[in-house]
Amino acid sequence: MRCPFCRGEDSRVVDSREVEEGQAIRRRRSCSACGRRFTTIEELVLSVVKRSGVTEPFSREKVVRGVRRACQGRPVEEDALQQLAHQVEETVRSLGVAELPSHEVGLAILGPLRELDEVAYLRFASVYRSYSSVEDFEKEIADLRAARRGAPSGDDERTSEDNGEQP
């Protein structure tokens, strides 16, 4: 690490600490040439490889924007969207890779979104999984109903007309 004061190339680490919930490491360094101390922060840059082959940094805000579109007109709080994005980031970082395909980010979104709002989940899944027929929607709705029956819940099964939504 080059010293910002004398430009010397030899420094030693005096102290290291995790910051930002373990997403970065703060190192206090001492220059061997001039003896002055300085701090560096090392961050893991998580990159997403898009279908086109283009690589870009992971963006929590892009996750929020995509999910917000799926939640349009639904009773979903902004805070819930931020929490979902945080959960997605934790999930993809836990994979332990520096680059991951955009497909993996989409998979990480589907689970939490399903828990947050089923209609938004269907909207997102229809685009993400490229639904091409009514049967695709019917199968997904059947899966949602089966999952709801399997988990103890006080919710009754309502049709879209019961919820005031347009079919």
Side-chain angles (χ1 to χ4, degrees), residues 4-159:
F5 304 107
C6 73
R7 310 300 289 160
E9 292 188 26
D10 190 27
S11 66
R12 66 182 184 86
V13 175
V14 177
D15 182 41
S16 285
R17 296 181 188 195
E18 284 188 5
V19 292
E20 298 177 22
E21 299 176 7
Q23 301 303 315
I25 298 174
R26 178 187 167 274
R27 297 194 196 279
R28 191 73 181 139
R29 296 177 175 270
S30 175
C31 177
S32 300
C34 69
R36 295 180 76 179
R37 291 186 174 198
F38 59 98
T39 301
T40 59
I41 297 180
E42 300 171 17
E43 289 183 301
L44 170 66
V45 177
L46 182 61
S47 298
V48 177
V49 181
K50 303 186 98 170
R51 288 182 203 150
S52 65
V54 174
T55 301
E56 61 183 43
F58 175 84
S59 167
R60 209 186 272 190
E61 187 52 40
K62 282 187 83 170
V63 171
V64 170
R65 276 196 313 263
V67 173
R68 186 180 291 130
R69 267 181 270 159
C71 292
Q72 193 169 0
R74 302 293 303 154
V76 176
E77 301 283 327
E78 181 65 26
D79 193 42
L81 296 178
Q82 295 296 331
Q83 288 176 345
L84 184 141
H86 179 73
Q87 187 177 356
V88 168
E89 184 173 7
E90 284 182 346
T91 300
V92 296
R93 285 193 184 277
S94 72
L95 296 174
V97 295
E99 283 189 356
L100 72 153
S102 59
H103 175 76
E104 293 291 329
V105 177
L107 287 175
I109 291 171
L110 286 173
L113 185 55
R114 186 175 186 169
E115 297 291 319
L116 181 64
D117 186 276
E118 290 177 337
V119 173
Y121 166 79
L122 279 173
R123 290 174 178 170
F124 189 87
S126 69
V127 173
Y128 176 72
R129 292 185 175 150
S130 303
Y131 289 176
S132 58
S133 68
V134 172
E135 288 78 20
D136 293 335
F137 282 96
E138 288 173 341
K139 181 186 178 320
E140 195 67 53
I141 290 169
D143 290 347
L144 283 169
R145 286 184 175 148
R148 191 186 299 162
R149 278 193 301 272
S153 170
D155 293 342
D156 57 352
E157 291 187 25
R158 292 173 284 194
T159 64

